[in-house]
Amino acid sequence: MQKQLPITTYGMDILRKVTKPVKEIDGEIFELVNNMLYTLRNADGIGLAAPQVNKNVSVAVIDISPVEEYKNYDPVILINPVVLENHGEVVLNEGCLSIPEVRGDVLRPEKILLKYFDMNMKEHTGEFEGLPARVMQHEIDHLNGKLFIDYLNEDDIKRNKDLLKKIRKGKIETDYPLYDPKENILN
Ligand code: ZN
């Protein structure tokens, strides 16, 4: 049975922490990954990192199949991912389930060489480009306490200032459930 997990939002400490590496795929990690995939699908997102569901571990899930061009692309589960190399630069518009409604152009490497582990703790090294590479970099940033708005220029920040303030104060509504610190104990 899969559970929809509430999403943590901009301003919460968990989103600024560097995550702990996964040592083994135990029942807890297995359940977390399954719930994250379910949560991602139900929130109409394309990538989700564990801090966004209030877990301080190096786990991210990516499912870009809602994007027409990538509809046959299988979900990817990244355990302890590390970017080994990057090449080129490209600007793409980004958003984030933890920073609802805020959008902005972000310059990032175009191609990456990525090392990660799968659900059997088998190590993989792979080259990625295009949208997969972009989403992976966004999610890996989450695992290092970084957010896409950290890259925005002053104009973009100014344009989104009121919205960011609203999110920090918890005064934002979304189609998916948000994490309420008053109802949950941080771990
Ligand atoms: Zn995000």
Side-chain angles (χ1 to χ4, degrees):
M1 211 176 52
Q2 291 176 305
K3 217 166 82 186
Q4 175 132 10
L5 305 169
I7 306 281
T8 55
T9 47
Y10 171 63
M12 294 180 183
D13 291 346
I14 186 91
L15 291 175
R16 290 306 191 179
K17 283 183 184 159
V18 176
T19 53
K20 295 185 191 108
V22 172
K23 290 193 186 105
E24 55 163 340
I25 307 294
D26 54 15
E28 204 181 317
I29 295 291
F30 191 80
E31 197 186 328
L32 174 67
V33 167
N34 275 317
N35 287 338
M36 282 173 69
L37 282 166
Y38 184 76
T39 300
L40 177 64
R41 227 169 286 138
N42 282 299
D44 282 323
I46 51 175
L48 188 67
Q52 293 183 276
V53 293
N54 200 39
K55 294 286 177 199
N56 191 30
V57 287
S58 186
V59 172
V61 298
I62 286 149
D63 184 358
I64 55 172
S65 63
V67 179
E68 178 63 23
E69 213 187 319
Y70 292 94
K71 63 175 184 222
N72 297 318
Y73 203 93
D74 287 329
V76 182
I77 296 153
L78 302 177
I79 309 286
N80 303 340
V82 182
V83 176
L84 300 176
E85 281 176 31
N86 48 60
H87 303 278
E89 286 185 326
V90 64
V91 174
L92 276 176
N93 197 262
E94 291 189 23
C96 180
L97 292 174
S98 292
I99 319 171
E101 293 175 38
V102 176
R103 307 281 316 182
D105 286 342
V106 180
L107 177 78
R108 292 188 194 268
E110 196 176 1
K111 284 186 193 177
I112 55 168
L113 182 68
L114 188 71
K115 187 181 103 172
Y116 64 97
F117 295 83
D118 65 17
M119 288 299 277
N120 298 309
M121 275 315 246
K122 190 178 166 226
E123 191 180 313
H124 296 265
T125 305
E127 245 182 73
F128 298 92
E129 60 183 318
L131 188 62
R134 172 58 59 137
V135 180
M136 284 167 178
Q137 291 177 83
H138 177 116
E139 301 315 325
I140 291 166
D141 269 357
H142 273 303
L143 302 178
N144 292 305
K146 226 168 163 187
L147 301 170
F148 87 92
I149 52 170
D150 301 342
Y151 300 97
L152 298 186
N153 63 38
E154 253 172 68
D155 285 349
D156 278 339
I157 288 288
K158 229 181 255 171
R159 194 164 44 80
N160 287 298
K161 211 178 143 196
D162 291 344
L163 197 47
L164 288 169
K165 208 168 161 184
K166 258 173 78 179
I167 300 169
R168 270 201 310 270
K169 288 183 171 172
K171 288 179 178 155
I172 192 100
E173 278 183 32
T174 50
D175 295 338
Y176 47 91
L178 296 180
Y179 189 86
D180 183 352
K182 289 194 268 339
E183 285 176 21
N184 297 275
I185 297 155
L186 278 170
N187 54 32

